[in-house]
Amino acid sequence: RINGMDPKKLKQYLQNEFSFFVSQGCKYACDFCAADRTRIGKKVVEKFSQVIEEDLEVITQKAIEFGISKLTMYITSLDLFQNPKLIKKTLEVFAQVSKRYGVEYDLRGLSRVDSFLTAMRAEPKLYDIIPQARLKVVGFGVDGTTEEVWKSQHKGNKRLSEVDKAFTLCSKIEITAEALMVMGFHDNNGTPVHTIASLRKNVDYSI
């Protein structure tokens, strides 16, 4: 598809942020999220692309043809760090292809707070690989500030101190952390789970 695009449109495409397919699906089940959930038996899995390196090389080669020295990408999935070993291998590919062709990447993705903290503990090499791959921005699903609200949506967040810890950790490895704050949830019966106090806490925490 890249090779079949009109050159002028392709150049414009590569000069702006575009999505790069890494994986699809999420093993979690937050109530408000419409992410695909692929099942193998009873297990819900994240399906990774089998042609990440090939796709990345084609795109990077085209960038070189147009004299583009930096590519800005949003990389899927909706929870980047839910599979620590596989995202480590994926980011290694980005780092290797970038070095091979001399083209920089600016990568952006989304993550659950607990997935990120767990991955950084499970795969310490991520501390080196993340800067090498140039993962620059991660948006975290904070989505409230109280355990009651998180439980109502089956969110993995346990306490705000974990969010603070993730943000502090990001600053150490040159990631810009973004807080995604969805509000106004209802439970399965349609009853609002937020209170005036919890909404105020959301606003205060965001500020």
Side-chain angles (χ1 to χ4, degrees):
R1 292 181 181 181
I2 288 289
N3 287 325
M5 285 181 68
D6 173 81
K8 289 183 179 179
K9 290 182 178 179
L10 178 56
K11 183 177 181 181
Q12 185 177 24
Y13 182 81
L14 295 176
Q15 285 175 325
N16 293 277
E17 184 184 68
F18 57 90
S19 294
F20 184 91
F21 180 75
V22 166
S23 66
Q24 180 63 52
C26 185
K27 64 183 182 181
Y28 300 106
C30 300
D31 283 4
F32 61 90
C33 179
D36 287 341
R37 294 181 178 89
T38 302
R39 293 184 178 275
I40 297 179
K42 293 184 177 181
K43 189 176 182 182
V44 180
V45 298
E46 178 186 19
K47 292 182 67 177
F48 274 74
S49 167
Q50 300 300 304
V51 290
I52 292 174
E53 187 166 358
E54 292 89 337
D55 287 346
L56 192 56
E57 285 196 334
V58 170
I59 291 170
T60 304
Q61 289 165 1
K62 285 295 181 182
I64 291 171
E65 289 179 22
F66 292 122
I68 299 171
S69 59
K70 179 183 289 187
L71 293 171
T72 304
M73 291 174 259
Y74 163 71
I75 56 175
T76 62
S77 63
L78 294 177
D79 184 16
L80 204 59
F81 291 93
Q82 64 182 291
N83 288 300
K85 287 185 178 179
L86 292 177
I87 193 59
K88 177 177 73 70
K89 289 181 179 179
T90 298
L91 292 176
E92 285 174 344
V93 170
F94 275 90
Q96 291 162 4
V97 177
S98 173
K99 186 177 181 180
R100 190 181 308 151
Y101 289 95
V103 173
E104 284 189 351
Y105 303 134
D106 270 3
L107 307 180
R108 178 175 68 89
L110 303 174
S111 179
R112 283 170 47 127
V113 171
D114 56 344
S115 295
F116 175 72
L117 293 175
T118 298
M120 297 307 292
R121 287 193 298 268
E123 297 290 339
K125 288 185 178 179
L126 282 168
Y127 284 92
D128 296 320
I129 294 166
I130 285 173
Q132 291 170 13
R134 291 182 60 83
L135 176 59
K136 306 299 289 184
V137 178
V138 175
F140 290 99
V142 179
D143 303 321
T145 50
T146 66
E147 189 175 355
E148 290 77 16
V149 170
W150 291 327
K151 278 186 175 180
S152 77
Q153 303 302 309
H154 300 103
K155 288 284 295 182
N157 298 346
K158 300 297 183 185
R159 55 190 67 87
L160 280 178
S161 61
E162 291 185 344
V163 181
D164 295 336
K165 184 177 180 180
F167 281 21
T168 300
L169 188 54
C170 282
S171 68
K172 293 179 180 178
I173 51 178
E174 301 178 1
I175 289 177
T176 297
E178 296 179 341
L180 307 182
M181 185 67 81
V182 181
M183 295 183 260
F185 296 121
H186 294 70
D187 63 20
N188 291 332
N189 297 318
T191 304
V193 295
H194 276 293
T195 64
I196 292 175
S198 67
L199 288 170
R200 168 55 62 189
K201 189 175 181 181
N202 291 354
V203 173
D204 289 344
Y205 184 78
S206 298
I207 292 172

